[in-house]
Structure formats: structure tokens, C-alpha cells
Amino acid sequence: MTPSSLITTVVFAPLVGAIIAGLFGRRIGNVASEAITTGLLLLAAVFSWMIFAQWTWGGLEPFTLEFLPFINIGDFQSNWSIRLDGLSAVMLVVVTSVSSLVHVYSWGYMSEDDSKPRFFAYLSLFTFAMLALVTAADFMQLFFGWEGVGLASYLLIGFWFKKPTANAAAIKAFVVNRVGDFGFALGIMTVYWMFGSIQFAEIFPRVSEFANTGWWFAGSWWHAVDLACALLFVGAMGKSAQFFLHTWLPDAMEGPTPVSALIHAATMVTAGVYMVCLLSPMFEYAPYAKQVVTLVGAVTALFAATVGLAQNDIKRVIAYSTCSQLGYMFFAAGVGAYQAAMFHLFTHAFFKALLFLGAGSVIHGMHHEQDMRKMGGLWKHLPITYGVMTIGTLAITGFGIPGLDLGFAGFYSKDTIIEAAFAAGQEMGGVAYFAFVVSVFAAGLTAFYSWRLAFMTFHGTPKWGHDGHEHEADDHASSAQIETHSEPLPDHDHGHDHKPHESPWSMLVPIMLLAVGALAAGYFFVDHFVGEEWKEFWRGAIFNGADNHVLEHAHHSPTWVKWAPLAVSAIGFAGAYYVYILREGMGAAIAARKGPLWTFLYNKWFFDELYEATFVRAAKFLGDLFWKGGDQKIIDGFGPDGVSAVSYAVGRAAGRAQTGYVYHYAFVMLLGVAGLLTYALVQWA
């Protein structure tokens, strides 16, 4: 097959599966719906790897396929297209690989759910929207995919719509992303205002022509490229859950665990990082916007890492880990190391999907318990899950030996980002050095909360024997789910033996395959992404300005910079081992004291409370003001309750004269005649 037919099949196969399962799922049944959607995703994944292999080793050149016009109004031209270059080749592999494994995993995880066709249709729709996004050749199709994954994520997060918390989480994700998307839309408008086009192929070569374009506003000169990039980055902040627009991400855990893996590992949350790297020709001419990206990314990495220290829900710990790792990717792009950002996106997809699906295996084996305080000692009962999650933990903590350049996937990508931040400090100054310091500190925190999760879940004294799963009635189970955000309990779980057990092979095989990626993806692809072959690999898909030598300088960082991540990770591991193994119960004692620092971190820096007190209550106040004051008192007061009320009263009064009795009408006629005669006599006199 030709590359064009391969990539066309990759993009549209998930859409075909979504249509079949979504429209005909009830007729063809659960098994057929699962088989069709999963088979098409596996086919897309195989073809994606074939395209990636041809791109990496076969000398495949970039190309764009145009299918049909989308919106053509005057100079505004947009077509349905598929673009293949280094960025899209990487994203095709990431999206289809994780999505196909999530489909296979869901066969076991969702086996007791009675809405499997709907679930698999949503998964495939999500994947199609993401593939449309990463292969877009202009901003309009990019926006289509951008909103498509937002819609699909809303449907997936709220999949269990009978849970009030799931509905609230879905609405929260949708609303917060709309805030970011407003900035994204303004950024697209700014780009069109500058270039008169939204086609990437027309915009990127001309960015240097508009490097000094702008206007005076409020006494300040606004650099147009900087403004456009900053506005576009606001969209990325929402989609990739960066600081200030991050609050939807932990609540997204209300969806089924396969959804968490799909959203957090390979699809929606990485869309913002991909977009910034795709727009590198613009960001290279937007120095202030790059500083904003660097600062926001560094603060997000620090914030999420600190919050992850105090969470007890196993999925929420991994969710904040995702938020922190996305911060790494963003500040890597902000300092100009776009290749390192994409490399971390690539490796992160494997070990983060592994951790999420591994957590789902734990939840399944623990009969849908998610609170790590009710686990412990599970390594004997879930040996395969324990083994692969240990690999994932080593990958996310970036374990590796700098001198030997040998380690797990995260070692190659995250260490490159840290070194790039240090190297960029010589050019960007304070912001890049701040990102470097934060990245090293956050690496230590990452090691602590990651090993905390491993130790609380798999080691120590078992805490699941008595109070972890004694749900004697559906009402008790439901209340426990609402309080702990756990997933719905299948009916067959009630009243049975709740001893932990290993997951079925349909769930274990995907996480074992992901473990291979978490173990080896960095080693095999480091040279292509950020090493000696990076220019040949990317082939212009990522643009570096003439003064951008960050990636080259990163490889010549001082020895202490190269060893710093391993040192802080070792400290984080030792701290977690001391608190949760050697002094088991120490962590619970610290939490029981509810000190100010623990309370601050446990409550996620009080962002939800702050937004509730400002935006939510303010919006409710304005709504009540316009509803009760404006609508009811003013509009209804002068309208339905005013003029119409007077008309109604007059009508009722006039209606009383219409009695229907003949003698009443005769009497009125006599009064009329008498009045007429009286008038005549007066006039004649």
C-alpha cells in the first residue's frame, strides 16, 4: 500500500468503527461492536507503525492530501486535508497505539457494563477527532479536531451518567476547556488578520515578514506574532490542563479507567504540546510568548507535583503526575527545545498509559476500590500488575545512569528537557533558570509520590481485609462511591469473596506491551528525536531559529546537571521508603494531624474553593440578577405582568357587560335611544 492510502485508512478507520458501533450497536450486539471497533483500531495502529518506519528509515518525504473543500469564502480557504510530516508521524503512532491497547483492555475492564457499544463508539470517535487534529493542514481542521476531542471527552468522562459526580466532572471539563478555546479562537483570528490565510504551508514561510507587525493599544506596542502565540497558548493551557485551567483534569477520573488512560496519556492532554511544537515557526519569532509558555509550564510542573504528594485516590495521583509531566513538555517547548518536548510526549504516552491501565488492574483486582489507604500488600496477589507498574514507576521517575546513557524511557526524554532548560538559561536568563530549578525539584517530588503510590498499594500491611469492601447493600455502595470517587460496582460483586485477584489477560496483555515501550522507547529513539539524527528525522517539521542552539548545548551540559535528576530521584525514593515502609503509618499520622502544609496540598492549593468563591458564585449572582431582577421584575413586570395584565383586567371588566340576557341588551338599546333623543332635543332647542 502507498503511504497516502495507509494514512487515509489510519485516519478514517476509527470513524467507521464509531459509526457502526454508535448507530447499529444494539442490533449487532456487544461482541460485534467490540470486535469491529477494536479491529479497526489495531489495523490503524499497524499502519501507523508502517508509516513511522517508512518516515524514520525509509526516507519518506512530507506530503499533504486534499480531499474536498471545507469553508471557502473569499480569501478564507479551508480544505479537508491530511498532512504527513515528522510531527504527525509521531502522533499517529502515539494515538493509535495507546488507543488500540485501551480498546483491547476495555474488553476485560468493561465486561460487566451494559453499554459497551456506546462506550466503544465514544472511544473510536475520540480517536478519530485526535487523528483529524494531528493531521490538519490548516487552523480550521485543527480547530475541528480540537473541539471534537473536547466533545468526545465530555461524553466519556460522563459515561456513567447516573453518577452525579460523573455528570459534574464532564460539565466541568467542558466549561473549563471552553475558556481556553475562546483564547484559541482569538489566536486563529489574529493569525488570519496578519497573514490573510489559515494554511500552515502558506503561513510558516512568511512569519519572518511579520516579525515586526503590531499596533499601539492603551499606550503600548502589541507585537502581533507574540499576541497570536500567547492567545493560541491559552487554548493549549485548557486542553493540556496547565496552571489556572488545570482543575478539570483530576475530576476527569470520574470516567472509566480506560478513558483516563486515553485522555491523559496519548490524546487530549497532549494536543496542546503538539500544537505549540507544530507552531514552532511562529513561536521562534515570539520571545515573550515563549517566556509565558516556559513560566506556565514550570509552575504547572511544580504545582501538580506538590499536590500529588497528598492524594489518596490512586487515579488522582497519576492524574496530577500527568499534569506535572505536561508542564515539563511545555517549558521544554518554551525554551526552544521542541524536539525534547515531543520526545517526552512520545515516551510519556507509554509509561503513563501503563500506569493508568495498571491502576485500573489494581482497581479491578480490588473490586473497584480506589483509595490507596485501603490497599497494601498486593504484590503477592497481583504479581504481573505489580511488575509492570514497577517498570512504569521507574520510567516516570527517569531512572537511568547518565555516564552509561542507559535507563528507562523517561530517563532519556526528561533528562534532556532538564539539560535544555539549563542550556537555555544562558540565552533567556531568569525564566529558563527558574524552569531548570523547578524541573530538578519536581523530579525529586515525582520520585516521592510515585514510589509512595507503589509502596502504599503493593507493599506494607494489607488494609483490605476488613473495611475495604464490605458493601452489604447497593445504597451503601453508592454512597461510598460518591465519597471516594470510586467506579460503579458490578452487581455480581456484592456478597462475594473480595480477596484481591489478578486481572484477565485481555487487561494484562496491553499493559505488558506498554511496559516494553516504557522500558525501551527512549533507548531506541533518542538519537532520532534529540540525538545526532534529529535534523534528518524531523526534516523541517520543527523549526529552530538561527540563534536557537539549545538542543546542541544541552548535550554539553556540566556533569552535575546530568547527575542532578538521578540524585534528587534517589532522595525522593529514600524518603518514600522511609515514610511508608520503614516507618509504616508515619504518612497516615502526618495526614491525621492535618497541618497547614498537608491541608494546603490535600486541598489542591484550594483552587476549586477559590474558583467556587469567585467565578462560580459570581456567575450565579449575575444569573440571578438578570433572571430575577432583569427578566422577572423589568421585562415580565412591564411585559406579561404589566401591559398584558392591564389588558386582561380591561377585558374582564368589558366582558361583564356581555351577560347574554335579552332584556339587558334591550335595556341598553333603550338607554341609547333615550340618549339620542335627548341629544336631538338639546340641539334643536
Side-chain angles (χ1 to χ4, degrees):
M1 296 179 67
T2 63
S4 59
S5 58
L6 286 174
I7 194 170
T8 303
T9 304
V10 169
V11 173
F12 290 106
L15 178 61
V16 173
I19 292 173
I20 294 174
L23 298 182
F24 309 105
R26 290 187 177 182
R27 291 189 177 184
I28 63 178
N30 293 339
V31 175
S33 298
E34 294 172 329
I36 291 171
T37 53
T38 304
L40 289 172
L41 255 298
L42 288 171
L43 178 67
V46 171
F47 284 2
S48 295
W49 278 102
M50 291 172 62
I51 293 171
F52 184 77
Q54 291 182 33
W55 177 267
T56 307
W57 297 288
L60 181 64
E61 293 299 322
F63 63 84
T64 300
L65 300 175
E66 291 190 1
F67 292 101
L68 69 159
F70 183 20
I71 299 176
N72 293 332
I73 303 174
D75 294 333
F76 188 92
Q77 303 289 318
S78 177
N79 301 311
W80 289 109
S81 312
I82 293 179
R83 187 197 85 261
L84 178 69
D85 58 11
L87 284 168
S88 57
V90 171
M91 293 302 296
L92 288 176
V93 165
V94 169
V95 173
T96 58
S97 297
V98 175
S99 183
S100 60
L101 292 176
V102 166
H103 273 71
V104 174
Y105 180 92
S106 299
W107 280 59
Y109 195 86
M110 303 295 289
S111 60
E112 301 300 325
D113 197 279
D114 58 358
S115 301
K116 286 190 281 292
R118 179 166 62 92
F119 180 75
F120 279 84
Y122 288 170
L123 288 182
S124 294
L125 178 64
F126 193 112
T127 306
F128 164 71
M130 190 66 192
L131 292 173
L133 188 159
V134 301
T135 58
D138 62 33
F139 276 105
M140 186 54 64
Q141 186 175 327
L142 181 70
F143 191 74
F144 168 81
W146 197 269
E147 297 303 310
V149 293
L151 168 65
S153 68
Y154 168 80
L155 297 173
L156 286 167
I157 294 170
F159 179 77
W160 284 317
F161 53 85
K162 294 182 180 179
K163 287 178 61 181
T165 51
N167 287 324
I171 293 172
K172 186 176 184 179
F174 197 80
V175 171
V176 173
N177 273 276
R178 297 292 73 72
V179 175
D181 292 350
F182 180 68
F184 187 60
L186 290 177
I188 295 175
M189 295 175 193
T190 306
V191 170
Y192 182 70
W193 172 81
M194 279 193 296
F195 297 96
S197 173
I198 58 169
Q199 303 286 332
F200 299 146
E202 296 179 9
I203 293 171
F204 293 163
R206 300 173 56 202
V207 176
S208 59
E209 301 175 17
F210 297 86
N212 298 317
T213 301
W215 60 88
W216 286 96
F217 179 75
S220 300
W221 175 258
W222 294 80
H223 188 210
V225 179
D226 262 312
L227 180 62
C229 289
L231 289 171
L232 292 167
F233 176 63
V234 172
M237 289 175 63
K239 198 66 69 181
S240 297
Q242 292 300 282
F243 197 62
F244 292 126
L245 296 180
H246 66 276
T247 53
W248 68 269
L249 191 67
D251 290 356
M253 298 299 98
E254 292 294 339
T257 297
V259 173
S260 302
L262 194 61
I263 291 176
H264 293 76
T267 53
M268 195 168 86
V269 293
T270 61
V273 178
Y274 163 79
M275 187 265 288
V276 172
C277 294
L278 172 67
L279 302 182
S280 58
M282 294 178 59
F283 275 91
E284 285 295 276
Y285 289 92
Y288 295 107
K290 287 178 66 176
Q291 292 188 33
V292 171
V293 174
T294 303
L295 181 62
V296 172
V299 172
T300 303
L302 177 63
F303 155 76
T306 59
V307 174
L309 300 174
Q311 303 306 303
N312 298 311
D313 185 306
I314 187 171
K315 287 171 64 177
R316 285 177 179 259
V317 174
I318 303 174
Y320 278 106
S321 169
T322 299
C323 196
S324 181
Q325 297 304 308
L326 288 167
Y328 274 90
M329 299 176 205
F330 273 112
F331 76 70
V335 300
Y338 308 100
Q339 298 86 348
M342 287 300 300
F343 188 30
H344 197 50
L345 185 156
F346 179 75
T347 60
H348 176 264
F350 292 104
F351 58 73
K352 186 52 59 70
L354 166 61
L355 289 172
F356 264 116
L357 296 183
S361 181
V362 172
I363 294 169
H364 183 274
M366 287 290 291
H367 307 277
H368 297 262
E369 179 60 71
Q370 295 181 207
D371 193 334
M372 296 187 300
R373 295 170 297 184
K374 298 178 182 179
M375 299 181 185
L378 293 179
W379 70 273
K380 294 181 180 179
H381 303 277
L382 288 77
I384 298 177
T385 301
Y386 169 65
V388 295
M389 285 197 73
T390 301
I391 293 174
T393 302
L394 289 167
I396 194 172
T397 57
F399 179 75
I401 309 300
L404 300 177
D405 288 332
L406 186 64
F408 291 78
F411 161 72
Y412 297 94
S413 57
K414 189 164 71 173
D415 282 23
T416 301
I417 290 176
I418 294 173
E419 294 164 11
F422 178 82
Q426 301 173 5
E427 300 177 9
M428 299 178 63
V431 176
Y433 279 130
F434 171 74
F436 167 71
V437 173
V438 165
S439 65
V440 174
F441 183 59
L445 298 179
T446 300
F448 184 89
Y449 68 66
S450 296
W451 288 111
R452 170 180 178 264
L453 183 150
F455 294 148
M456 290 182 68
T457 303
F458 295 105
H459 295 276
T461 304
K463 304 171 186 66
W464 39 266
H466 302 289
D467 60 350
H469 310 286
E470 295 178 357
H471 304 294
E472 306 216 350
D474 288 343
D475 292 340
H476 294 164
S478 298
S479 63
Q481 290 153 19
I482 292 174
E483 291 175 4
T484 64
H485 306 283
S486 60
E487 300 185 359
L489 298 170
D491 293 337
H492 73 280
D493 275 349
H494 297 293
H496 286 218
D497 180 19
H498 289 100
K499 184 177 180 181
H501 60 82
E502 188 62 275
S503 299
W505 284 107
S506 60
M507 295 172 62
L508 293 178
V509 170
I511 57 178
M512 292 168 68
L513 292 175
L514 288 168
V516 174
L519 184 65
Y523 177 81
F524 282 105
F525 294 105
V526 61
D527 285 337
H528 296 290
F529 279 83
V530 296
E532 297 177 356
E533 302 175 17
W534 71 266
K535 291 183 179 180
E536 180 182 350
F537 178 79
W538 294 110
R539 289 174 219 162
I542 291 177
F543 174 76
N544 290 106
D547 298 328
N548 185 347
H549 304 290
V550 171
L551 200 58
E552 289 86 347
H553 293 164
H555 296 306
H556 302 288
S557 299
T559 303
W560 68 271
V561 172
K562 294 180 178 293
W563 283 87
L566 179 61
V568 296
S569 296
I571 294 173
F573 170 82
Y577 187 80
Y578 178 79
V579 173
Y580 295 99
I581 299 296
L582 295 181
R583 299 287 300 275
E584 186 177 1
M586 183 178 178
I590 294 173
R593 287 198 294 268
K594 296 183 178 180
L597 179 59
W598 181 89
T599 302
F600 182 67
L601 299 180
Y602 180 75
N603 289 283
K604 301 157 287 189
W605 290 27
F606 291 101
F607 263 98
D608 285 328
E609 291 78 5
L610 177 63
Y611 286 176
E612 174 73 23
T614 53
F615 299 114
V616 177
R617 292 183 182 176
K620 188 176 184 300
F621 171 78
L622 288 175
D624 288 343
L625 177 65
F626 287 117
W627 167 40
K628 297 179 180 178
D631 192 14
Q632 291 185 341
K633 292 184 178 180
I634 298 176
I635 298 176
D636 289 351
F638 285 98
D641 299 334
V643 175
S644 63
V646 173
S647 301
Y648 177 73
V650 172
R652 288 195 62 183
R656 290 173 183 170
Q658 306 296 326
T659 63
Y661 294 109
V662 175
Y663 60 86
H664 285 171
Y665 296 130
F667 178 70
V668 172
M669 292 173 66
L670 288 174
L671 290 177
V673 171
L676 182 62
L677 290 174
T678 301
Y679 176 78
L681 290 173
V682 171
Q683 291 295 324
W684 290 342

